[in-house]
Amino acid sequence: MKKHQWIATLLSLICTGLGMFYIGTPGMIIGGTMLMAFQGAALFIFFMTLGFLGLIIGPLAIGLHIIGLIIPVIYFNYRSPKKPMFDEKRKRQLASPWKIVLRTVIGLALFAGSIYAGYTWGSAPFMKTAAEKREVQEAAESYLEQKYNEPFKVTDVDYTWAIGSYNLRAHPVQSPELEFTLSSNEASPPSISNDTYLNLLWGQQLRDRLKPLLAELYPDQAFANAYVNSDFDTIERDYNQLVNTDGNISQNISLIVFADLTADNLAQEKERVLELIRRLPSVAVPGETDLHIEYYGADLKTPDRVKKLEQDFDMNGKQSTHIFREFDISKITSTDDIEIRGLE
């Protein structure tokens, strides 16, 4: 009996109510089934309420699990001198190994089914199936190929239930480093929109044009990223040709500069920023230009970090020491208009 008690307890620890199926009396099977069903229902309610009832559902689920653990312990420790047949019946109940295994497997299947059903039915309104996501992926790839006359690969398809739309990430097959975003509604067939392919392609070209200027003003110190917006409808891949379009152009240029700024050299840095602003029109097409510079300690410039910056332009949580931001550099006419704020 001791062996069976430990096995039932272990099974109850692993899965709610499973030890009761191991014991296998009609009452135990009914009770175990109810506990499992309640566990699935609790998971369903948790998802349907977006987790807001977690403080209630969590303790309830733990309580159900504890009940499923206590009942087998009581069963094996119960003794009644008035019912001598009880112990004999209990021994017969646990005397057939194949029946024990069958009951336990059935209980495990019911537990897994209740958890799966609770999760699936509870999360269904807020998620999409693999087939639905695949339909959106294929529609997006077809849309991009027809629009730009080159193949694309959609890498991520995320559904946002609150607004009923998909957020996707994609890249040209020939340029996997140029990853951009686009959107889709949940209609069938899906409607694709808001792709940022050209914005990033133009930004990449602007960044390349910036490199010689930065190498001159910030030798081995500055790294750039750029994003370009235009409201014209014609598909134009060449950033240089934007000057010939009728659309409004706006561009964001972000720099990461490794330099130790102090009170002694801050004025010199303002002069350098002013010179950069004066010369930007020679490499950028006419339009409103937003310039954002973040300064980091020179000791943070390592080969690994430089390689990382060239891939995703991210300092991975490192704190900048100073910052400069001007949303329209045409307003800057002298160093008096330049404010480099310290953040330390």
Side-chain angles (χ1 to χ4, degrees):
M1 293 296 291
K2 186 174 181 180
K3 177 188 71 173
H4 291 299
Q5 180 176 347
W6 278 110
I7 294 175
T9 302
L10 178 61
L11 292 173
S12 298
L13 281 172
I14 296 173
C15 300
T16 300
L18 188 58
M20 299 169 69
F21 271 82
Y22 172 84
I23 294 171
T25 64
M28 288 289 181
I29 291 176
I30 293 173
T33 302
M34 292 178 63
L35 289 177
M36 293 174 182
F38 286 145
Q39 285 279 28
L43 190 60
F44 171 81
I45 295 172
F46 176 82
F47 278 101
M48 289 300 294
T49 59
L50 303 180
F52 288 116
L53 293 182
L55 293 177
I56 298 176
I57 299 299
L60 176 61
I62 294 174
L64 291 171
H65 188 76
I66 292 175
I67 290 173
L69 179 62
I70 291 176
I71 290 176
V73 173
I74 294 176
Y75 176 84
F76 282 109
N77 287 279
Y78 176 74
R79 295 291 186 273
S80 175
K82 296 181 179 179
K83 297 179 180 179
M85 297 297 296
F86 181 82
D87 287 338
E88 292 299 324
K89 183 178 180 181
R90 182 162 51 188
K91 291 178 181 179
R92 290 196 301 271
Q93 189 71 31
L94 299 169
S96 177
W98 74 267
K99 289 183 179 179
I100 292 175
V101 172
L102 178 62
R103 293 194 304 263
T104 304
V105 170
I106 292 174
L108 183 60
L110 288 175
F111 176 80
S114 68
I115 297 300
Y116 177 79
Y119 172 80
T120 302
W121 295 341
S123 62
F126 316 110
M127 301 177 66
K128 292 295 183 179
T129 65
E132 290 171 320
K133 289 185 176 182
R134 185 164 55 252
E135 180 184 10
V136 172
Q137 178 183 355
E138 292 172 353
E141 291 175 347
S142 176
Y143 164 85
L144 292 169
E145 183 170 356
Q146 291 179 19
K147 183 176 180 179
Y148 297 111
N149 196 31
E150 64 175 306
F152 288 81
K153 176 64 177 177
V154 173
T155 55
D156 292 309
V157 180
D158 295 321
Y159 177 69
T160 305
W161 66 269
I163 56 177
S165 69
Y166 292 88
N167 298 311
L168 302 89
R169 300 188 71 85
H171 62 76
V173 172
Q174 301 300 323
S175 304
E177 76 284 354
L178 192 61
E179 190 174 60
F180 61 93
T181 61
L182 63 161
S183 303
S184 170
N185 62 13
E186 57 181 348
S188 184
S191 177
I192 312 299
S193 60
N194 302 325
D195 74 88
T196 60
Y197 172 52
L198 289 179
N199 307 103
L200 293 181
L201 180 63
W202 296 329
Q204 185 183 64
Q205 294 171 17
L206 174 56
R207 187 179 67 228
D208 291 340
R209 289 167 63 108
L210 282 168
K211 286 181 178 179
L213 177 58
L214 295 178
E216 179 183 346
L217 296 177
Y218 297 89
D220 296 323
Q221 289 180 292
F223 299 85
N225 195 28
Y227 187 89
V228 180
N229 268 317
S230 176
D231 59 7
F232 74 97
D233 296 328
T234 305
I235 297 176
E236 175 56 68
R237 284 181 170 82
D238 189 349
Y239 170 75
N240 297 325
Q241 297 302 317
L242 295 184
V243 69
N244 300 320
T245 64
D246 297 328
N248 294 320
I249 307 296
S250 63
Q251 42 213 352
N252 172 271
I253 298 174
S254 299
L255 303 182
I256 288 177
V257 176
F258 294 99
D260 296 321
L261 296 189
T262 65
D264 295 332
N265 63 18
L266 194 58
Q268 182 181 355
E269 179 58 28
K270 289 184 178 181
E271 291 286 355
R272 185 160 60 169
V273 172
L274 180 61
E275 180 65 15
L276 172 65
I277 291 173
R278 286 174 174 167
R279 296 175 62 177
L280 275 178
S282 67
V283 297
V285 299
E288 187 175 290
T289 301
D290 169 10
L291 179 61
H292 179 202
I293 306 177
E294 291 186 354
Y295 296 88
Y296 294 85
D299 62 320
L300 291 179
K301 181 177 177 287
T302 63
D304 288 343
R305 183 160 285 117
V306 168
K307 184 178 180 180
K308 184 72 173 176
L309 280 175
E310 292 173 345
Q311 293 175 346
D312 59 13
F313 202 73
D314 187 356
M315 283 297 289
N316 295 319
K318 295 296 183 180
Q319 179 62 49
S320 58
T321 60
H322 294 76
I323 186 173
F324 167 80
R325 184 70 182 268
E326 178 53 59
F327 292 97
D328 184 1
I329 62 173
S330 65
K331 298 177 180 179
I332 302 293
T333 59
S334 70
T335 56
D336 293 336
D337 300 323
I338 295 175
E339 180 186 7
I340 298 177
R341 294 187 294 110
L343 301 179
E344 291 185 331

